[in-house]
Amino acid sequence: MYLEIITPDKKIFEGEVSSASFPGADGSFQVLNNHAPLISLLRDGIVEYKSKESTQRLNITGGVVEVLANKVIVLVDGIES
């Protein structure tokens, strides 16, 4: 599936991944290929995504995620170092 992570300032990541995990407002959840359509608020926490090369983790400060037709768009308020 295709993942795009964007902050108000810049694009953080864009590419193919096998899975992605998010800190949802009502609890953490994982998205895999062919996931049902979904829109969710995100709370502060860790976004983790796995590509063929590696697993990456980002500490985000809230946002929104949309899943539709094997494309995941994540709009995050900010990224903490």
Side-chain angles (χ1 to χ4, degrees):
M1 74 185 158
Y2 185 80
L3 174 66
E4 196 171 349
I5 302 174
I6 304 166
T7 70
D9 300 326
K10 63 183 176 178
K11 190 176 291 189
I12 301 298
F13 176 81
E14 182 177 21
E16 289 292 322
V17 298
S18 59
S19 69
S21 299
F22 301 99
D26 293 328
S28 297
F29 63 95
Q30 184 177 42
V31 175
L32 300 171
N33 205 26
N34 297 317
H35 196 282
L38 165 78
I39 294 176
S40 177
L41 290 174
L42 300 175
R43 60 178 164 74
D44 295 358
I46 303 293
V47 170
E48 180 178 285
Y49 53 96
K50 296 178 183 179
S51 64
K52 291 180 182 177
E53 297 81 31
S54 65
T55 298
Q56 299 292 322
R57 293 180 182 195
L58 297 172
N59 191 8
I60 67 162
T61 57
V64 178
V65 61
E66 177 191 45
V67 179
L68 184 62
N70 281 329
K71 184 172 183 180
V72 181
I73 300 174
V74 186
L75 306 172
V76 297
D77 296 335
I79 305 242
E80 294 180 347
S81 301

